[in-house]
Amino acid sequence: HYPLRRQRQMCIRDSMPTVPLVLNELAHATQHMALAFQAVHAGSENERFELVGVQSIIPDKNLFLAPDDRWLIGYRPAFYRSHPFALMTNPESKQVELSIDENHIADAPTDESPRLFDEEGTLTEQLRDVVEFLGQTLQSRGKTLALCKELQDAGLITPWAIKFTGKDNQDESQIRTLQGLSHINPKALRELDSDTLARLN
């Protein structure tokens, strides 16, 4: 029996201007979206960066998702593909558990409803496939965060000042700067010593 934990709104796809990405999917993701780095615990001693795909320059908006929930580009990131499931750390036991968005649990399941467990209380084959995919993605995320840390330690990650035209409170156009994203500093990359460059490459 695999523990299944309910979580509320684990993945709010339509309000995410960025989406976390992992190494395993970069060959596909780079064909459809810009990549950036986003700070976690920004401004603290524990500040670190994660790799993200940019879905919008508008806060709380995902322009890759249609109002009828259709995905509009050719690649859907791994972060979304396993929804409504996720592997999350239990804050009490510190163990990784399989979690489900409780909004996707049927109050009155029918015979046609997909089953999570079989008669013996173990995961169904379909859900085991989901768990395997989530495990692979979690491992790839660990590697991705480690590589982002190497880039950060090498002094290569710098704020990305993306300017765009937006509307103010009076509906007047104004030049605005997107906040919160970073990219690779090309000058710092050119000045990197050969040993560090070879290792990162």
Side-chain angles (χ1 to χ4, degrees):
H1 180 80
Y2 200 103
L4 186 64
R5 186 180 184 91
R6 293 187 178 202
Q7 299 285 343
R8 297 190 62 185
Q9 295 184 331
M10 295 187 304
C11 178
I12 309 175
R13 298 178 300 170
D14 58 351
S15 62
M16 294 177 55
T18 63
V19 59
L21 296 174
V22 296
L23 287 175
N24 288 359
E25 59 185 336
L26 292 191
H28 302 290
T30 52
Q31 298 180 50
H32 300 282
M33 57 179 64
L35 271 58
F37 300 95
Q38 197 161 27
V40 181
H41 309 303
S44 72
E45 294 181 357
N46 298 322
E47 181 179 77
R48 58 185 175 85
F49 289 88
E50 65 176 349
L51 187 66
V52 298
V54 180
Q55 301 176 138
S56 173
I57 59 172
I58 304 170
D60 302 321
K61 185 69 175 176
N62 178 1
L63 297 178
F64 294 167
L65 193 66
D68 60 2
D69 213 31
R70 285 180 299 109
W71 193 254
L72 298 177
I73 66 171
Y75 178 74
R76 191 157 55 106
F79 182 83
Y80 298 130
R81 277 182 277 141
S82 57
H83 188 72
F85 300 100
L87 291 179
M88 305 183 75
T89 302
N90 185 318
E92 298 175 359
S93 67
K94 307 302 181 184
Q95 297 295 313
V96 174
E97 296 180 343
L98 177 62
S99 304
I100 183 171
D101 188 331
E102 63 180 19
N103 293 326
H104 290 260
I105 298 177
D107 293 327
T110 66
D111 292 338
E112 287 74 33
S113 298
R115 301 189 62 183
L116 305 179
F117 302 96
D118 59 23
E119 291 80 3
E120 297 169 352
T122 57
L123 296 184
T124 60
E125 182 178 357
Q126 181 180 8
L127 195 51
R128 285 199 302 270
D129 290 342
V130 171
V131 172
E132 182 178 359
F133 171 74
L134 287 169
Q136 292 171 351
T137 302
L138 186 62
Q139 287 184 340
S140 186
R141 177 167 172 77
K143 294 178 182 178
T144 307
L145 292 175
L147 290 174
C148 287
K149 181 68 166 57
E150 288 193 56
L151 295 171
Q152 180 182 1
D153 291 344
L156 294 179
I157 298 180
T158 189
W160 197 0
I162 302 174
K163 296 187 181 299
F164 65 99
T165 302
K167 299 285 187 179
D168 60 19
N169 294 335
Q170 285 73 43
D171 203 34
E172 297 287 337
S173 295
Q174 62 176 190
I175 301 298
R176 303 171 64 182
T177 302
L178 183 66
Q179 304 292 329
L181 296 182
S182 296
H183 68 148
I184 296 296
N185 184 331
K187 182 175 184 294
L189 183 62
R190 289 193 298 270
E191 295 175 352
L192 210 59
D193 66 88
S194 58
D195 290 342
T196 303
L197 183 60
R199 176 172 53 82
L200 291 176
N201 188 53

